[in-house]
Amino acid sequence: MAKIIAVANQKGGVGKTTTSVNLSASLGVLEKKVLLIDADPQANATTYLGMKLNESISGTHDFIENKISHEECIQKSSSPNLDVIPSNLNLVAAEINLINYESREYMLKNGIEKIKSNYDYVIIDCAPSLGLLTINALTACDSVLVPIQCEYFALEGLGKLMNTIKNIQKIQNPKLDIEGLLLTMYDSRLKLSNQVIDEIKNHFGDMVFKTIIQRNVKLSEATSYGESIIMYDSDSKGAINYLNLAHEFIKRNKESKLYD
């Protein structure tokens, strides 16, 4: 049975898509079968993996609105064991159309239920907002992974996300859990980065992943080549960081005994 994880933070530029793509790819390399759902109309995860933004191609918009079979929305990626449901600008219209559905918050969940038995993990790359698409993702998932950049305004907006999670827990998804907080864009040369890490660890304790994602030029380069960091440069700091995260992620879930 697949575990479903939403990667969410309504604050932009925190490494959300980078984490969604590279954690998914790392889990795939570790022989886990993974489905990555691009639930962001900006389609950054889709382009990150070198897929074309063709509006005639089936993707998340069709998957959510159940316009065609859910299997037809899934594409193979060039990364081992990683399938993708891509996004494009049609997803903007889909979010507007969701308002007309009685079970609008459950549309993504209903789709995932039909295919999740084929995967070990389903990872949802959320939009940098708390709109209906993100609410759908939080309703559908078992847990939320929150990337936080090691910068001055690291905790800005985090309270709103936590409040949204609490509201979803009360109404749509009582089993929703926090997978963990992931520190990203760490620069060891900056005193501020270390201060931010100390502050977040003091606030959140064991909720914070031990793995920290360092600033790495190769991570930026990989996007322009349409490849995950694992496929682009497996020896880079970025690849090592995300492989370490995948190992820690798997270990955490084994220890919880909820997912094998």
Side-chain angles (χ1 to χ4, degrees):
M1 183 68 71
K3 181 172 188 180
I4 304 158
I5 307 98
V7 181
N9 190 331
Q10 79 274 19
K11 191 176 186 300
V14 299
K16 179 180 57 60
T17 296
T18 299
T19 294
S20 298
V21 170
N22 290 305
L23 174 58
S24 297
S26 297
L27 289 168
V29 166
L30 296 176
E31 299 186 343
K32 300 296 182 182
K33 190 154 179 55
V34 183
L35 174 65
L36 174 61
I37 300 177
D38 190 347
D40 183 353
Q42 296 178 83
N44 290 332
T46 300
T47 55
Y48 199 128
L49 287 168
M51 296 180 174
K52 294 181 180 179
L53 295 179
N54 189 333
E55 292 182 23
S56 65
I57 293 176
S58 302
T60 310
H61 58 290
D62 295 306
F63 187 83
I64 287 177
E65 294 194 68
N66 198 22
K67 290 181 177 178
I68 57 175
S69 76
H70 294 93
E71 287 77 10
E72 288 181 69
C73 300
I74 299 170
Q75 295 188 30
K76 295 284 183 186
S77 79
S78 59
S79 196
N81 299 312
L82 176 58
D83 291 347
V84 181
I85 299 181
S87 176
N88 57 41
L89 285 174
N90 287 334
L91 194 53
V92 175
E95 182 162 34
I96 294 169
N97 292 341
L98 281 174
I99 297 169
N100 299 317
Y101 289 93
E102 187 175 341
S103 57
R104 61 182 71 88
E105 298 94 348
Y106 299 91
M107 299 296 285
L108 183 58
K109 178 182 175 68
N110 293 339
I112 292 174
E113 286 292 326
K114 296 176 182 178
I115 58 167
K116 69 179 185 179
S117 60
N118 299 325
Y119 298 94
D120 297 305
Y121 297 104
V122 176
I123 295 179
I124 308 170
D125 184 34
C126 296
S129 71
L130 295 176
L132 258 178
L133 286 173
T134 299
I135 289 171
N136 260 262
L138 295 177
T139 300
C141 71
D142 298 301
S143 63
V144 189
L145 190 158
V146 185
I148 303 175
Q149 81 279 35
C150 297
E151 295 178 0
Y152 184 72
F153 293 109
L155 299 177
E156 185 182 69
L158 189 58
K160 288 183 180 178
L161 177 61
M162 293 301 183
N163 285 335
T164 300
I165 290 171
K166 286 179 183 177
N167 289 334
I168 297 289
Q169 287 170 329
K170 289 177 184 176
I171 303 170
Q172 288 95 0
N173 187 359
K175 294 183 180 179
L176 179 60
D177 196 9
I178 304 292
E179 185 70 34
L181 308 183
L182 176 67
L183 293 160
T184 64
M185 302 180 186
Y186 172 67
D187 189 336
S188 59
R189 299 168 298 177
L190 300 179
K191 183 179 179 181
L192 177 62
S193 289
N194 293 300
Q195 289 174 340
V196 170
I197 287 173
D198 290 341
E199 183 180 356
I200 290 173
K201 286 186 174 179
N202 285 336
H203 270 85
F204 297 101
D206 291 340
M207 286 174 63
V208 183
F209 281 99
K210 291 182 174 65
T211 304
I212 296 174
I213 308 301
Q214 298 169 283
R215 282 194 179 276
N216 181 232
V217 172
K218 296 290 185 180
L219 278 170
S220 301
E221 289 179 359
T223 61
S224 63
Y225 284 86
E227 294 179 337
S228 71
I229 189 61
I230 309 301
M231 300 298 289
Y232 178 68
D233 188 346
S234 60
D235 294 323
S236 66
K237 281 185 180 179
I240 293 167
N241 287 166
Y242 276 108
L243 279 169
N244 286 341
L245 175 63
H247 280 292
E248 183 179 356
F249 181 87
I250 291 169
K251 184 180 178 184
R252 277 190 176 202
N253 283 289
K254 279 185 178 178
E255 287 176 351
S256 74
K257 296 183 181 178
L258 292 175
Y259 303 90
D260 294 322

